[in-house]
Structures are given as C-alpha cells and as structure tokens.
Amino acid sequence: MIILDNIISDRGSKYAVSGGPCHSADEAKAFIKELKRKKKFAKATHNTWAVICGEEEIKNDDGESGAGMIILQMLAREELHNHIIVVTRWYGGKHLGGDRFRHVKDAVRFYLDEL
C-alpha cells in the first residue's frame, strides 16, 4: 500500500491519495478496510476509489459525486489494471465547487507519477 498524505490543501480541505495491487471487488473492499484501520482515514469525509479488474470497472464515490468516475477514466487512460487508487478528502468547511474534481485529477496524477 502506497499512501501519499497531505498532497493538496484548498480552503481548509486536505487530500491524500493511496493505492496498491487489487484483483477483485473483494480485494478492493479489503484494501479500503485496511486503509481505514488508520484512524485518520477512517475519519475522512470521503474515500473515493476505483479499480479496473480484467473487464470489470469498479468505483465508489463515497459521497463525492462523480469522483470515482474521474479516477476510473484516468486508470483506463493509463491502462493501469488490477491497481486500486483511493483519493481521500477531509472537508475543510468551505465548498470547493468544481475545483474538487480538479483536485481529484491532480491527486491521481500525483500518484501515477510516483509509480
């Protein structure tokens, strides 16, 4: 599991990105469970994620509507299969509007650059 913490901060919201190998929906659930064992991630406002396992595309917005699809599209563009990426957000009290999608993209790009 790779965790890149405090990579983006905007109007009080903070972002992290995590990822690792993942070959099924069950492994994705286990990955999220393991991530949330860290108290900080369990208390996050959103843990949005996506993974492509073979032909199956799996995503979860975790309340951040549309964010899972952004991660999924970036995984597909990079042809990165069997690897989950999770973008975590801690809400800072101010709405970010469309900027939140830019931050999701930036977080995924940050992660992909680290691979």
Side-chain angles (χ1 to χ4, degrees), residues 4-112:
L4 305 173
D5 203 0
N6 293 324
I7 58 168
I8 299 168
S9 182
D10 183 7
R11 291 168 264 179
S13 287
K14 297 189 184 324
Y15 287 81
V17 64
S18 313
C22 181
H23 296 88
S24 68
D26 287 339
E27 283 187 21
K29 289 175 188 168
F31 187 95
I32 297 300
K33 186 175 180 180
E34 182 65 26
L35 181 66
K36 288 183 173 183
R37 290 183 75 188
K38 294 166 182 49
K39 193 174 186 179
K40 179 178 183 177
F41 288 87
K43 290 186 170 194
T45 311
H46 308 286
N47 283 293
T48 305
W49 59 271
V51 62
I52 301 172
C53 300
E55 297 299 315
E56 186 177 16
E57 297 180 342
I58 311 164
K59 64 179 174 56
N60 187 318
D61 290 335
D62 192 29
E64 189 81 288
S65 297
M69 183 55 77
I70 291 170
I71 300 168
L72 199 56
Q73 290 169 343
M74 292 182 76
L75 287 168
R77 195 174 311 126
E78 294 291 320
E79 298 181 2
L80 182 59
H81 292 230
N82 300 314
H83 197 98
I84 190 171
I85 295 181
V86 182
V87 176
T88 302
R89 176 183 177 194
W90 292 269
Y91 181 64
K94 294 186 181 169
H95 292 287
L96 301 180
D99 287 342
R100 70 187 195 278
F101 298 115
R102 182 174 46 86
H103 295 325
V104 170
K105 286 180 186 176
D106 290 347
V108 174
R109 176 60 41 215
F110 199 116
Y111 182 85
L112 293 170

